[in-house]
């Protein structure tokens, strides 16, 4: 692992009926249960703010990585608070609108994204990722979109692309020197 990284792994707060944990339950119509979604969102923002306040963390170099629901929540955080993040690794997920969130589509110039998705994903069909790509195409975000011959998973090829992208982004952040950015980015 790159020595420039400090990794924080977050577990979703709610037990999932099929095992593990979830950020929200899905309603019968496929929408996110709003109370659970917003509580998870608020908890994640508090966590990120806590991490950013640590003296050994450069608040201007925080990246999010999500898979599936973790990607949905990463999008929610980065699209509402792009100033808090240098980038997002979004794997097998999509942008889920929520009435309480105000996405800042035209304030993404300093938050880069890599979006990866399997063309045979049976859980989140690739069409959802393609709609997300179309949304990003209308924004001012720098983003990379890639599809892979895989299902709802992370393949060796997609992982290699993510690692290469992250390495490039870390290198770009260091071009200006090792000066700490201002808190809050």
């Amino acid at each position: 692992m790159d020595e420039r990284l400090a990794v924080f792994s977050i577990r979703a707060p709610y037990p999932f009926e099929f095992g593990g944990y979830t950020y929200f339950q899905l309603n019968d119509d496929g929408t996110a249960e709003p109370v659970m979604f917003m509580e998870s969102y608020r908890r994640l923002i508090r966590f990120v703010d806590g991490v950013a306040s640590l003296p050994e963390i450069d608040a201007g170099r925080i990246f999010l990585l999500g898979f599936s629901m973790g990607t949905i929540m990463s999008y929610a955080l980065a699209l509402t608070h792009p100033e808090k993040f240098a980038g997002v690794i979004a794997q097998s997920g999509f942008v889920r609108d929520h009435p309480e969130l105000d996405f800042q589509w035209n304030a993404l110039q300093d938050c880069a994204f890599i979006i990866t998705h399997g063309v045979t994903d049976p859980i989140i069909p690739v069409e959802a990722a393609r709609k997300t790509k179309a949304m990003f195409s209308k924004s001012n975000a720098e983003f990379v979109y890639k599809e892979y011959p895989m299902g709802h998973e992370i393949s060796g090829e997609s992982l290699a692309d993510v690692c290469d992208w992250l390495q490039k982004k870390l290198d770009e952040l260091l071009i200006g020197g090792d000066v700490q950015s201002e808190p809050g980015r």
Side-chain angles (χ1 to χ4, degrees), residues 58-62 82-87 108-112 173 181-185:
D58 182 342
R61 296 180 185 171
I62 294 177
E83 74 283 357
K84 293 180 183 283
F85 306 103
L108 301 175
Q109 66 275 1
D110 296 323
C111 184
L173 286 170
S181 64
E182 294 179 21
R185 175 71 171 203

Side-chain angles (χ1 to χ4, degrees), residues 52-65:
S53 72
L54 296 172
E56 62 273 15
I57 299 299
D58 182 342
R61 296 180 185 171
I62 294 177
F63 288 82
L64 297 172
L65 181 150

Side-chain angles (χ1 to χ4, degrees), residues 22-36:
T22 187
Y23 288 106
F24 53 87
Q25 295 295 333
L26 292 175
N27 294 323
D28 291 338
D29 64 358
T31 59
E33 196 290 316
V35 174
M36 292 174 78

Side-chain angles (χ1 to χ4, degrees), residues 18-78:
F18 302 108
Y21 293 85
T22 187
Y23 288 106
F24 53 87
Q25 295 295 333
L26 292 175
N27 294 323
D28 291 338
D29 64 358
T31 59
E33 196 290 316
V35 174
M36 292 174 78
F37 183 94
M38 287 308 299
E39 178 59 25
S40 292
Y41 171 84
R42 284 189 284 275
R43 286 181 183 194
L44 288 168
I45 286 290
R46 282 193 305 267
F47 181 83
V48 168
D49 288 344
V51 167
S53 72
L54 296 172
E56 62 273 15
I57 299 299
D58 182 342
R61 296 180 185 171
I62 294 177
F63 288 82
L64 297 172
L65 181 150
F67 176 80
S68 194
M69 280 190 176
T71 290
I72 292 169
M73 298 310 294
S74 293
Y75 281 140
L77 295 173

Side-chain angles (χ1 to χ4, degrees):
M1 181 164 53
D2 192 308
E3 64 185 30
R4 296 174 290 181
L5 297 176
V7 177
F8 298 85
S9 180
I10 305 166
R11 187 192 77 194
Y14 301 106
F16 189 54
E17 63 184 307
F18 302 108
Y21 293 85
T22 187
Y23 288 106
F24 53 87
Q25 295 295 333
L26 292 175
N27 294 323
D28 291 338
D29 64 358
T31 59
E33 196 290 316
V35 174
M36 292 174 78
F37 183 94
M38 287 308 299
E39 178 59 25
S40 292
Y41 171 84
R42 284 189 284 275
R43 286 181 183 194
L44 288 168
I45 286 290
R46 282 193 305 267
F47 181 83
V48 168
D49 288 344
V51 167
S53 72
L54 296 172
E56 62 273 15
I57 299 299
D58 182 342
R61 296 180 185 171
I62 294 177
F63 288 82
L64 297 172
L65 181 150
F67 176 80
S68 194
M69 280 190 176
T71 290
I72 292 169
M73 298 310 294
S74 293
Y75 281 140
L77 295 173
L79 294 174
T80 55
H81 293 283
E83 74 283 357
K84 293 180 183 283
F85 306 103
V88 176
I89 299 165
Q91 300 176 301
S92 299
F94 63 100
V95 172
R96 178 178 287 282
D97 284 329
H98 193 281
E100 293 184 50
L101 300 180
D102 182 22
F103 292 156
Q104 306 295 310
W105 286 105
N106 293 313
L108 301 175
Q109 66 275 1
D110 296 323
C111 184
F113 295 79
I114 183 167
I115 302 165
T116 66
H117 209 96
V119 294
T120 59
D121 188 332
I123 307 298
I124 300 176
V126 71
E127 289 76 21
R130 291 174 181 161
K131 286 180 185 175
T132 295
K133 176 187 177 189
M135 292 177 200
F136 275 95
S137 294
K138 296 175 186 172
S139 77
N140 66 346
E142 172 195 332
F143 74 97
V144 172
Y145 177 87
K146 292 192 168 209
E147 294 180 1
Y148 302 89
M150 64 181 190
H152 195 66
E153 61 190 280
I154 299 170
S155 69
E157 181 184 6
S158 68
L159 182 59
D161 287 344
V162 162
C163 290
D164 290 346
W165 178 87
L166 183 58
Q167 180 70 47
K168 179 182 171 198
K169 292 297 153 199
L170 290 171
D171 292 346
E172 288 172 5
L173 286 170
L174 292 176
I175 287 174
D178 272 339
V179 178
Q180 293 276 325
S181 64
E182 294 179 21
R185 175 71 171 203

